[in-house]
Each structure stands twice: as C-alpha cells, then as structure tokens.
Amino acid sequence: MHPQLASDLARLSPLLELTRQRAAAFLDTLPDRPVVPPAPAPGPVPLPEHGAGLQAALEEFGARWEPALSAGAGPRYLGFVTGGATPAALAGDWLTAAADQNSNSSLDGAGQHLERETVDWLRELFGLSGRHRGTFVSGATMSNTVGLAIAREWLGERLGVSVAEDGAAALGRVRVLSGSAHSSVAKALSVLGLGRSALVAVPTLPGREAVDPAALAEALRAADGPCVVVANAGTVNTADFDDLRAIAALRERHDFWLHVDGAFGAFAALSPDHAHLVDGLDLADSVCIDLHKWLNVPYDSAVQFTRRQDLQSTVFRNAAAYLGPLGDDPDLVHLTPENSHRLRALAAWFTLRAYGRDGHREIVERCVAGAQALGRAIEDTEGLRLLAPVRLNVVCFGMDGDPSADRLARLAQELAGEVFFTPTVHAGVPALRAAFSNWRTTAEDVQRIVSALRGAARRY
Ligand SMILES: *Cc1c(COP(=O)(O)O)cnc(C)c1O
C-alpha cells in the first residue's frame, strides 16, 4: 500500500473527526457567511504528483476553496429552488458514503430494500396510492427524463411498435403538450430522441402559468392520436398549479400519457391548507418529485413514480449473465438510467425517520409563511411590485418604473451577500424570484431579507 494511504488508514478515525470538525465549522458559518461570496473562484493548480495525505487536503480545501463556496444550504439563499440538508439527512448522506453500497441488485446486501422502504414512505407522504411504484434518481431533470422515457414506450405500445427495440424514429411525430413546462422537459426530450420541437406550448389561463384545460382539450383534438401531456404542479416563476383533476378527466375522450412535474410543488400535499393544489396527483401515469429541494436532503436526489413499472423496465433493463432476473419486482439496475448507484435513499430515509411527516410539514408551512410575509412586505414597499400572488413558496417580484433586466440584476448583485434571488422573466417582464425551501429559514431571516431589500430598492 502507498505509504500515504497506509498512514491515513492507520489514522482513519482521528482524520474523520477532523473532517467532522471542519464540516461543523462550515455549517456554523451558514447563517452569516456571504450568501454568495463576492470573491472569484481560486485559479487551478497542477495535478499533485505526490500526495500529502488527507489532513493536508483538508487544510488546502479550507484555505483555497471553502471561502469561495456559497451558503447554498443556508437560510437566505432563495435562488432557483434550493433546499439545504436537515441534520438527519446530512448524517444519512455521510453514512451513504461510509457504507459505499452499490445498491442496485438483489445479489448484493439489503440496499435496494432500504430504497423500497423509503419509496413507500414517500408515496404515502405525497398521497399516492399503491398503484404507483417509485425509484430514486439524481434530480428532477432525471426524474422527468425517466417519466418521459416511460411515456415514449407507452406511445410505442399504443402504436404497436417497440421503441426500446427499434428506436424513437418508429413513433413518427410525437407531441408533448404542456402549459408552462420546466426547461428540463425540453432537455429530456432532446436526450430521448423525441426532439425539443416535440414540445407544444398550450395556452395558459389569463394571467396565470397554469394550463387552460379547454385549450388543452383543443390541442388534444388537433393532435389526432396518442400524445403525452406534461402537467405542472408548481411552476418555477410563480408556483402555479395546473388543475390535475380536470386534465386527467380529459382522458375520457383523448388518449394521452399524463406526466406531472411536481418537483417542488408536490410538497403542497404536506400542508392541509395547500393540499388542494395537488388534488388529482394520484391520477398521473408518472410523477417527478425532487428531494434535494424541499425534502432538504443533500444533492443529488429525486424520486420518480409511475403506474407502469413494466414499461420502465422495458426501457431500462440491463441484461448480463451476472445480473438478477426482471421478475415482478425488478432489481433497480433494470429501472433507471444508471447501472451502479449509491445508496441514495439513505439521506431521505434518515430525515423521514428522524422528523416524520409532521416535521416535514412544519418545514413546508414555515417556508410558505416566509414567502407570504415577503410577498406582503413587497406589496407595502414603494418601488417594488409583486408580479403574481404568492400561492405557495415562491415570490415573483419586480420594480416600478423601468424594470430593466439590467437594473434588477444590479439590485440582486448588491444583495447577494445577504440574500440570494435569481432573475427571471415573467409574462415578458424582467423579474426576481425568491423561493423558500430551506429548513433553516426563520421569520427573523425574512425580516433581514425585507430590510436588505428595502434598503437596496431605495438606491436602485
Ligand atoms: C428544479 C426543477 C426541475 C429540475 O430539477 P433538477 O433537480 O435541477 O434536475 C424540474 N422541474 C421543476 C418544476 C423544478 O422546479
């Protein structure tokens, strides 16, 4: 064994203790370090020919890279939709790496059984019935991709061809109808060989990002043949929700696969006051839910549910002499794009075990309360303008006067040490958005955000 490896192995326990201390010290800075640091990233250094061991690596990381990392896991990072990591989720993630299981096959230990237990808990959390089966993937983009891959195979079934065998070209022109699809849907269609142009934008309700069900019915009539509908449960700009029940009812007259992108919006199911937003979720053929956002597990984690796991294994099955058979409950290696994968479910298992449904409901409700408070403060601030009602956890706002993208970007940049917003364009108007999805965010954080925003708005 290389002497440096041997010496690290001999000191493994104290070295992990040092690592723990560094992690804890970093976490202690989260409430107050610059949310997005102004310092540029350090320049590259050459590949080390001779290593100096873990302790030296820790020191160099702490000196060169750590100061340039954002407080993405902290309470005032409201950019994109970004969760943090609950204490239990973080512990679960550490133990995932420590155990380093390739939990994809029944030939190995119980890893995939732990994943199935976690999927069952998640299914219950989101109010899905036993007809849905689920798998862990690395994020909502991958969850949308897997859901749409199953949809693609379903289209083949409808048309009497096998996409898994003969390729997407066997389908001819495919239409994927959606009101305000997330950008990852177009990316998924590109990956799946259906093409970005397969995505057809269906008109939304007046002043909303939710699809107009009558317009969708019209588009389905015009499509004349089986298609795919991507319904949105929580759009990124304004957290708007399609009427899932009304959309599902269109299946009485039209032949389509219903995929629901509920990456963060599905968490409305946890709050009795907001669960109506996802009424009908169980009617979907496939569902995408991110976990590294509002479940507050570390990157990278999401879940994909479907009623047609048989089609899922048609797409993703992997035949080799040493792999387990498909059967009724296929090994995970036959269900997702990856072959090998980490015991990704463990972080979710830990946080659900540690805090339960009511702990996670409290996170969701506190985030919604934070968004509502920020929304009210913006309405009460001269110069700022709320661009959409706060339906859940996203606040979409702009400025009076000349709200140029440039002016908003300068405002956001000036604030980035204290609070991080991301720029967007809503209904043609440049805007900023604040998404509340971190378990650490408190009412005091919202106060800090409001004062910073009001101060900056006066100057811009
Ligand atoms: C974040 C998000 C995605 C993509 O999620 P990743 O985890 O970044 O891949 C897809 N859809 C919606 C609605 C999202 O909010």
Side-chain angles (χ1 to χ4, degrees):
M1 191 182 286
H2 187 282
Q4 205 66 71
L5 280 170
S7 103
D8 277 4
L9 178 58
R11 295 181 57 223
L12 187 55
S13 228
L15 286 170
L16 289 181
E17 178 52 26
L18 273 181
T19 311
R20 185 202 65 75
Q21 284 168 12
R22 174 156 293 286
F26 177 80
L27 293 172
D28 283 345
T29 70
L30 279 183
D32 290 302
R33 75 191 280 123
V35 178
V36 175
V45 299
L47 168 72
E49 199 57 50
H50 307 287
L54 171 53
Q55 188 163 352
L58 273 175
E59 279 156 19
E60 182 175 332
F61 170 73
R64 280 183 65 226
W65 288 102
E66 208 183 78
L69 299 183
S70 74
R76 292 184 314 286
Y77 187 103
L78 306 183
F80 311 101
V81 183
T82 306
T86 63
L90 176 60
D93 198 71
W94 283 1
L95 294 173
T96 302
D100 194 23
Q101 305 279 298
N102 184 5
S103 58
N104 68 1
S105 140
S106 47
L107 301 177
D108 203 326
Q112 60 172 7
H113 297 282
L114 183 144
E115 176 165 331
R116 289 190 183 116
E117 175 170 282
T118 315
V119 164
D120 285 345
W121 290 355
L122 290 166
R123 183 172 46 210
E124 235 185 290
L125 190 70
F126 296 113
L128 297 173
S129 68
R131 289 188 297 267
H132 279 100
R133 304 180 70 184
T135 33
F136 271 77
V137 288
S138 58
T141 299
M142 204 36 96
S143 180
N144 278 331
T145 304
V146 171
L148 291 169
I150 305 167
R152 186 184 63 176
E153 204 59 32
W154 174 85
L155 285 171
E157 186 180 80
R158 282 314 214 227
L159 299 172
V161 297
S162 166
V163 177
E165 289 306 318
D166 300 323
L171 294 175
R173 166 121 203 251
V174 167
R175 285 181 190 78
V176 178
L177 311 176
S178 190
S180 307
H182 187 265
S183 55
S184 61
V185 170
K187 180 171 177 168
L189 295 175
S190 166
V191 170
L192 292 169
L194 299 174
R196 293 174 195 266
S197 70
L199 187 58
V200 178
V202 178
T204 53
L205 294 167
R208 299 271 306 271
E209 289 187 306
V211 77
D212 176 352
L216 180 59
E218 187 51 44
L220 285 163
R221 249 191 307 280
D224 190 29
C227 23
V228 178
V229 171
V230 175
N232 302 295
T235 56
V236 285
N237 267 352
T238 64
D240 208 344
F241 287 75
D242 289 354
D243 182 338
L244 302 180
R245 220 168 253 293
I247 294 174
L250 296 173
R251 284 192 296 208
E252 282 167 25
R253 302 215 170 159
H254 304 283
D255 197 20
F256 63 91
W257 177 273
L258 177 54
H259 174 80
V260 177
D261 181 352
F264 67 90
F267 285 81
L270 275 67
S271 155
D273 287 346
H274 297 86
H276 64 275
L277 295 169
V278 285
D279 184 40
L281 186 65
D282 191 44
L283 300 169
D285 298 300
S286 52
V287 179
C288 152
I289 305 177
D290 231 335
L291 303 177
H292 53 219
K293 290 177 179 167
W294 224 349
L295 193 68
N296 281 269
V297 301
Y299 291 106
D300 39 19
S301 184
V303 64
Q304 190 282 318
F305 288 104
T306 184
R307 290 165 168 257
R308 292 293 307 271
Q309 205 170 63
D310 60 319
L311 292 177
Q312 186 171 355
S313 60
T314 303
V315 178
F316 294 106
R317 89 189 132 88
N318 189 4
Y322 54 87
L323 292 174
L326 272 180
D328 282 344
D329 211 3
D331 283 352
L332 299 178
V333 68
H334 300 301
L335 292 173
T336 57
E338 305 107 345
N339 202 41
S340 304
H341 69 221
R342 73 204 307 256
L343 184 49
R344 187 173 280 125
L346 191 55
W349 187 94
F350 259 84
T351 198
L352 291 171
R353 182 67 189 81
Y355 313 117
R357 191 202 296 268
D358 63 355
H360 280 276
R361 178 197 305 142
E362 192 276 332
I363 294 174
V364 167
E365 291 181 336
R366 182 156 39 87
C367 286
V368 173
Q372 288 169 343
L374 178 62
R376 281 191 303 271
I378 286 169
E379 276 184 311
D380 292 346
T381 303
E382 212 173 317
L384 294 178
R385 198 150 49 90
L386 201 56
L387 297 181
V390 179
R391 294 187 183 86
L392 194 64
N393 61 331
V394 175
V395 185
C396 184
F397 65 99
M399 298 175 88
D400 290 333
D402 163 31
S404 68
D406 195 45
R407 197 168 148 214
L408 284 173
R410 282 203 311 272
L411 176 77
Q413 196 167 7
E414 166 163 336
L415 285 169
E418 182 70 358
V419 53
F420 183 60
F421 302 121
T422 34
T424 187
V425 175
H426 175 57
V429 179
L432 294 175
R433 48 189 294 289
F436 288 75
S437 42
N438 190 294
W439 69 281
R440 287 174 176 264
T441 311
T442 61
E444 293 79 65
D445 288 303
V446 178
Q447 292 275 305
R448 262 177 86 164
I449 292 162
V450 168
S451 343
L453 183 57
R454 284 188 171 150
R458 270 194 297 274
R459 289 190 294 279
Y460 280 84

